[in-house]
Amino acid sequence: MANVKPTLIQSYPMIGGDGPHSYLRNSTYQKAAIESVRAKTKEAILAKLNLQTPKFDLNLYKIADFGCSVGSNTFDAVQNIVETVKLKHQREKSKGKNQTHLEFQIFFNDQSNNDFNTLFKTLPPYYLDHQIFACGVPGSFYRRLFPKKSLHIGHASNALVWLSTTPKDICNRNTQAWNKNNILCTNLVDEVEKAYKKQFKKDMGAFIEARAQELLPGGLMIILGLCLPDGVQMIRTWKGVFYDMIGDCLIDMAESGIIKEEKLESFNLPLYFPRFSELKEVIELNGCFSVEIMEEVKHPMEDMPLSDGFIASMHRAAIHGVIEEHFGGGIIDELFDRFSKKSTRDHSIYSKASQKDMQYFILLKRKID
Ligand SMILES: C[S@@+](CC[C@H](N)C(=O)[O-])C[C@H]1O[C@@H](n2cnc3c(N)ncnc32)[C@H](O)[C@@H]1O
């Protein structure tokens, strides 16, 4: 067998378990996002899932949630899909068609170091009713995870801002793309933005291509996530302000000798908020899907002034892993203590943000080839 080097994929799952800092207890923002598209998802499936599609096995539906993490968010999203497929069948049944007993196989995907144990321990009771069968699928969604043409519906929420890796040049002080003391793409330096954009295009292209192979012709892919409206700069949004403040706290910690200067210089988050048009371009480039819906959906908490504490807890559950991996264990409490003092001293995150990011909802349908 040829000696093929596997692609190195960085993996930083959310904090597992059900402790005070866990994703399970700190993901109400993401939960609200899923809730905000519940009705839209239902309508979309009812309208776009065609039960007459050739090669669909109408007894067994295979549904995957990509980047499921831990907690009830993934169960909420999947349950809505399952209920809607059942409803669609009931409606067709009343027209005398598709009189089948439905079964569902649900694939929960995340990186292999996700806390699948907690996920399965908290599986809702309806998974025991012999109609819905759950399994875990470990691995990066930036590659193939399922056999060709095997899935009916794919779903991904709040997961695609995570890149497979941090663009290398932005961590290297000898390149023009070096991101100095910033820790993600702020959209202020062209070279940095180009490097992030290139990585995003590669990753998102790989995600779409893998799903194009796995979904049955006529199958649906639902994507919910965050991006920036065209022309908006990350640094001007409240999430950008938050990360900027975390970056400042890391600088303070380097100056106090708590972390090493070189470590800070080489640190960047593998997170990228694409512009809406970039996202559209990558999806369309693939050509295997028809874009049935691609639109902005208001996040229910968009106009609520979230407290700095809430914002910090929500992000802590997400970036804990990546911070500890780079700087070593034991700095996260100090970092967030400093953040808390800083945000109390300075004006609140919201007062510094002048532009808004954007939540998008996408429904793709695999073309019949
Ligand atoms: C913010 S959580 C979203 C969880 C859930 N979908 C929700 O909406 O609440 C993002 C999840 O995506 C996962 N993730 C990030 N990159 C991934 C990749 N390349 N492959 C699989 N999962 C990934 C993370 O491990 C994390 O659990």
Side-chain angles (χ1 to χ4, degrees):
M1 209 173 119
N3 187 10
V4 184
K5 258 194 174 172
T7 315
L8 187 65
I9 293 174
Q10 295 172 352
S11 156
Y12 310 106
M14 310 296 100
I15 300 184
D18 60 358
H21 297 303
S22 62
Y23 186 75
L24 193 149
R25 291 187 187 274
N26 293 284
S27 50
T28 46
Y29 188 85
Q30 293 87 339
K31 193 177 205 55
I34 292 171
E35 187 51 39
S36 73
V37 296
R38 168 180 281 275
K40 194 174 274 293
T41 304
K42 188 172 169 183
E43 266 170 43
I45 296 174
L46 288 175
K48 303 294 178 184
L49 188 72
N50 180 1
L51 303 190
Q52 313 309 322
T53 308
K55 305 213 173 102
F56 260 32
D57 174 352
L58 295 178
N59 295 314
L60 173 61
Y61 275 86
K62 296 187 178 180
I63 298 168
D65 188 27
F66 296 93
C68 62
S69 192
V70 183
S72 59
N73 294 3
T74 182
F75 303 136
D76 292 354
V78 167
Q79 192 191 3
N80 188 33
I81 295 172
V82 167
E83 293 301 327
T84 309
V85 172
K86 284 188 194 167
L87 180 66
K88 173 97 185 166
H89 270 261
Q90 269 164 17
R91 287 191 180 170
E92 303 268 323
K93 199 169 166 181
S94 64
K95 292 183 203 152
K97 292 184 241 164
N98 300 311
Q99 313 228 3
T100 45
H101 170 71
L102 294 185
E103 291 186 319
F104 294 89
Q105 193 165 22
I106 310 297
F107 299 97
F108 292 100
N109 156 256
D110 208 291
Q111 298 280 21
S112 48
N113 47 356
N114 181 54
D115 184 3
F116 282 104
N117 281 341
T118 299
L119 179 76
F120 289 118
K121 271 190 221 156
T122 53
L123 215 53
Y126 51 79
Y127 278 83
L128 301 173
D129 73 359
H130 303 296
Q131 195 185 10
I132 309 180
F133 302 92
C135 56
V137 178
S140 172
F141 50 48
Y142 290 127
R143 63 173 176 81
R144 278 269 306 282
L145 293 163
F146 296 95
K148 283 188 179 172
K149 299 185 182 176
S150 61
L151 294 177
H152 293 80
I153 301 179
H155 175 270
S157 58
N158 305 305
L160 287 163
V161 285
W162 286 93
L163 298 173
S164 66
T165 182
T166 310
K168 290 290 157 289
D169 283 354
I170 61 167
C171 305
N172 180 352
R173 60 157 45 233
N174 300 318
T175 67
Q176 284 189 328
W178 182 43
N179 205 14
K180 300 200 179 74
N181 287 328
N182 292 310
I183 60 169
L184 87 174
C185 182
T186 54
N187 302 119
L188 292 178
V189 179
D190 274 358
E191 294 301 324
V192 173
E193 187 167 345
K194 269 189 211 151
Y196 266 104
K197 204 174 268 196
K198 192 170 159 201
Q199 189 61 47
F200 165 75
K201 278 188 175 175
K202 191 173 170 209
D203 287 342
M204 191 67 193
F207 180 88
I208 297 292
E209 178 53 28
R211 302 308 75 86
Q213 294 193 37
E214 296 163 351
L215 279 159
L216 281 153
L220 304 178
M221 183 69 218
I222 299 158
I223 310 176
L224 172 68
L226 287 173
C227 68
L228 298 173
D230 290 359
V232 165
Q233 290 180 319
M234 183 66 188
I235 191 79
R236 312 260 171 259
T237 67
W238 64 263
K239 293 181 188 77
V241 171
F242 165 79
Y243 283 114
D244 198 38
M245 284 170 76
I246 286 287
D248 286 347
C249 294
L250 286 168
I251 294 173
D252 293 346
M253 286 168 75
E255 282 169 1
S256 313
I258 299 169
I259 55 173
K260 291 212 166 77
E261 188 83 32
E262 314 86 77
K263 275 278 183 194
L264 178 57
E265 280 185 3
S266 62
F267 179 66
N268 280 280
L269 289 163
L271 283 176
Y272 181 66
F273 292 73
R275 298 264 163 63
F276 189 69
S277 58
E278 281 170 58
L279 191 61
K280 194 158 187 277
E281 193 186 306
V282 183
I283 293 171
E284 286 174 351
L285 192 68
N286 178 278
C288 291
F289 290 97
S290 58
V291 182
E292 303 288 333
I293 304 175
M294 179 160 184
E295 60 189 31
E296 178 174 6
V297 184
K298 200 172 157 61
H299 191 287
M301 294 179 167
E302 190 185 300
D303 297 328
M304 276 184 207
L306 304 174
S307 73
D308 289 359
F310 178 91
I311 294 174
S313 305
M314 148 191 171
H315 284 97
R316 180 176 175 152
I319 63 171
H320 170 107
V322 66
I323 300 262
E324 292 232 312
E325 162 102 4
H326 188 85
F327 295 103
I331 76 144
I332 203 88
D333 284 342
E334 171 80 25
L335 175 62
F336 278 89
D337 280 354
R338 282 175 183 255
F339 172 83
S340 162
K341 286 183 192 133
K342 191 176 178 55
S343 69
T344 315
R345 222 176 28 240
D346 298 1
H347 298 296
S348 78
I349 292 176
Y350 267 92
S351 64
K352 290 184 176 169
S354 55
Q355 294 183 324
K356 282 185 179 174
D357 59 18
M358 168 180 165
Q359 177 174 260
Y360 63 82
F361 176 84
I362 300 177
L363 179 80
L364 306 176
K365 185 166 184 166
R366 179 68 173 88
K367 290 180 186 165
I368 296 180
D369 35 31

